[in-house]
Amino acid sequence: DVVMTQTPVSLSVSLGGQTSISCRSSQSLVHSDGNTYLYWYLQKPGQSPQLLIYKVSNRFSGVPDRFSGSGSGTDFTLKISRVEPEDLGVYYCYQGTHYPNTFGAGTKLELK
Amino acid sequence: EVQLQESGPGLVKPSQSLSLTCSVTGYSITSNYWGWIRKFPGNKMEWMGYISYSGSTSYNPSLKSRISITRDTSKNQFFLQLNSVTTEDTATYYCATRGGDYWGQGVMVTVSS
C-alpha cells in the first residue's frame, strides 16, 4: 500500500497567521492517465470530512483562496493563510491514484 | 442539493455482520463512484471500497473477503456489508463519492458483546 506520511501531527497557529502541512507518499502519485490524484480534506469537530483541494492544487467549490495546494510526484503541501477560527480541525491528505486508496494520519490545527 | 445519509445499527456483536445503507438524494448512483470510508477511534481513516456507476466494485485488500458493497438503483441506495466483525471494526462509517466531494454525516458503529 502507498504510505502517506503527513507532518506535523499538530499545529498551533495564531488567528490571521499562515501555516503549511506536508504530505509525502511512498511512491509517485502520477497516474497512468497523467493526473495526480492527491486530495486534501478538513474534518471540523463533530462534522464529516470536507473536500478542500483535489488533484494537488484545485480548490473545491466554495473553498476560500486562503487554501492552496502544491507539489508533484511524492511531495505535496497544503498552505493556509490568514487562518480563521473556522479552519480549526484535522486535515488529511489522501491519494486516489493507487489501490487501495490511502490517507495520511492527519494534522490537528489548533489556535495558539 | 446532493445529500448522503447513512443508516444502520450502532451496535453489532462480534462475529456477526455489519450492514449499513447509504441513501442518496440529488444525484443518481448510476453516475459516479460511491464508496465507504471509516474513521477509527483517534484519527486513522481507512478507505474500504466503492461501487461504480455500472455496478462494478473495488475493495481494500485489508478487508479480504469480509466486505461487500451492493446497490439498489431503484431506491438510489448503496449498501455496505462487513462480515465476521471484531472489536477492531469499531469506527465511524461514512459513505461518500469517490473524490470525496460529497459525504454523509457518518454513523458510529460499536462492535461489542
Side-chain angles (χ1 to χ4, degrees), chain A residues 41 43 48-49 51 60 92 99, chain B residues 39 43 50 94 99 104-105:
Chain A
Y41 301 96
Q43 186 167 30
S48 304
L51 178 63
F60 185 54
Y92 295 93
Y99 288 107
Chain B
K39 182 177 181 179
N43 282 342
Y50 69 71
Y94 297 95
Q105 85 287 352

Side-chain angles (χ1 to χ4, degrees), chain B:
Chain B
E1 180 186 7
V2 179
Q3 291 190 327
L4 286 72
Q5 175 85 43
E6 304 92 346
S7 59
L11 181 63
V12 181
K13 294 185 186 305
S15 80
Q16 294 189 343
S17 293
L18 179 162
S19 296
L20 298 175
T21 298
C22 183
S23 301
V24 181
T25 57
Y27 202 154
S28 171
I29 64 169
T30 58
S31 300
N32 212 334
Y33 292 74
W34 303 86
W36 291 94
I37 293 161
R38 61 183 178 176
K39 182 177 181 179
F40 297 100
N43 282 342
K44 183 182 175 183
M45 299 273 279
E46 180 181 64
W47 173 81
M48 301 181 72
Y50 69 71
I51 187 164
S52 78
Y53 53 89
S54 66
S56 63
T57 53
S58 179
Y59 301 133
N60 193 322
S62 70
L63 298 169
K64 297 181 181 177
S65 58
R66 294 199 298 136
I67 187 173
S68 176
I69 299 175
T70 57
R71 66 179 184 170
D72 183 337
T73 57
S74 67
K75 295 182 178 178
N76 216 39
Q77 295 175 326
F78 63 104
F79 312 101
L80 171 69
Q81 181 169 319
L82 187 65
N83 299 322
S84 305
V85 298
T86 71
T87 55
E88 294 188 353
D89 294 309
T90 293
T92 298
Y93 289 75
Y94 297 95
C95 58
T97 50
R98 186 170 72 168
D101 40 357
Y102 301 108
W103 293 70
Q105 85 287 352
V107 58
M108 186 178 297
V109 178
T110 301
V111 180
S112 175
S113 55

Side-chain angles (χ1 to χ4, degrees), chain A residues 14-57:
Chain A
S14 300
L15 286 177
Q18 177 174 300
T19 192
S20 63
I21 300 169
S22 170
C23 184
R24 291 186 173 178
S25 56
S26 59
Q27 56 185 277
S28 173
L29 298 186
V30 180
H31 193 275
S32 56
D33 66 8
N35 290 305
T36 301
Y37 294 100
L38 185 282
Y39 303 80
W40 290 97
Y41 301 96
L42 164 61
Q43 186 167 30
K44 300 179 182 181
Q47 297 186 18
S48 304
Q50 59 188 77
L51 178 63
L52 297 174
I53 302 287
Y54 63 96
K55 290 194 284 185
V56 181
S57 59

Side-chain angles (χ1 to χ4, degrees), chain A residues 59-75:
Chain A
R59 274 188 300 276
F60 185 54
S61 175
V63 174
D65 60 6
R66 303 183 291 101
F67 293 90
S68 62
S70 62
S72 62
T74 61
D75 287 353

